[in-house]
Amino acid sequence: MLRFFKKKEMKTWESERLPRHIAIVMDGNGRWATKRALPRTAGHVAGAETFRRVATYCKDIGIEYLTVYAFSTENWKRSEDEVAKIMELLEKYLHESIEKMERDKVKMKFLGDISVLSQNLQDLIAKTEELSKKFDGVQVNICLNYGSRAEIVRAVQNYADSIKDTPDAPRLTEENFAKFLYTADIPDPDLVIRPSGEMRLSNFLLWQTAYSEYYFTDCLWPDFNENELDLAIATYQTRDRRYGNA
Ligand code: IPE
Ligand code: IPE
Ligand code: MG
């Protein structure tokens, strides 16, 4: 039976056709905790561990970009306590990442409006990005106070500002527009994974995932692991990406 197989034997994907960029909606922390009669915040603690594990695995197998949805522009609707705990966990995570940076060698970027976060968090983010920019093995993008609609509106505004003194500016193209998004210089995701059984994007990378492959699983994010990722990648490799071609 499959569950008695060793991890190595469960790997069913081909290394030649790995997705270059995987994006994940890290969802299901609250339900994972509630199922165990724990406070929702315990789910966020467990979810942060899963993130570390999955990011390490992505690096080990040669994924170039991993983008995770950590906190959305809509997540401020949650209780003050829950939001505070998530921010506290983020600070802890960033401190640890800075400490382990030379060992882990992961380039890290933050996508979203971080200007409303605490000064301490903003400083930690700036430090993490600065110290990790020299690494080129894997790039991990953390979407924080990120919402795709806000990102698109911001891009339109920034584009308009950029041409306001240039009446003969060339007409805007898709490629030029994409340069105004937080994801400028990052290729579009090949594979989007949403655990926890929800089948929606929840305002995640609407522009960038126009031609991504989607993979949904009932597994809650804290239960997600290397085997689940193997399964998602193997499923991705069965897809026929046509991009509108016949
Ligand atoms: C995802 O897990 C984490 C964040 C949105 C910050 P949830 O907290 O949304 O977990 P569920 O969906 O309530 O189970
Ligand atoms: C999406 O999950 C945002 C993150 C995982 C950070 P949500 O739990 O906020 O999404 P909805 O509310 O179920 O759509
Ligand atoms: Mg959720």
Side-chain angles (χ1 to χ4, degrees), residues 25-27 69-72 75 78 194 198 200 202:
V25 180
M26 302 191 292
D27 195 21
Y69 206 3
F71 193 86
S72 76
N75 286 147
R78 298 184 179 202
R194 178 149 192 173
E198 310 299 348
R200 53 179 172 258
S202 304

Side-chain angles (χ1 to χ4, degrees), residues 155 159 171-181 184 188 207 210-211:
Y159 169 70
R171 286 183 75 80
L172 188 59
T173 62
E174 290 180 14
E175 285 72 25
N176 280 333
F177 178 70
K179 291 188 186 134
F180 290 88
L181 298 169
D188 287 341
W207 171 278
Y211 265 108

Side-chain angles (χ1 to χ4, degrees), residues 8-73:
K8 221 168 96 206
E9 288 160 326
M10 284 188 64
K11 201 183 288 173
T12 47
W13 42 261
E14 297 164 33
S15 44
E16 303 76 49
R17 292 189 300 119
L18 276 176
R20 190 175 174 207
H21 182 175
I22 296 179
I24 306 180
V25 180
M26 302 191 292
D27 195 21
N29 295 351
R31 277 163 284 175
W32 182 91
T34 304
K35 255 175 55 181
R36 287 163 179 74
L38 294 168
R40 290 178 57 82
T41 49
H44 299 314
V45 175
E49 274 311 306
T50 302
F51 165 57
R52 240 184 222 297
R53 195 166 158 175
V54 168
T56 304
Y57 189 54
C58 282
K59 184 184 162 210
D60 291 349
I61 64 175
I63 302 296
E64 284 179 64
Y65 297 88
L66 170 68
T67 300
V68 293
Y69 206 3
F71 193 86
S72 76
T73 44

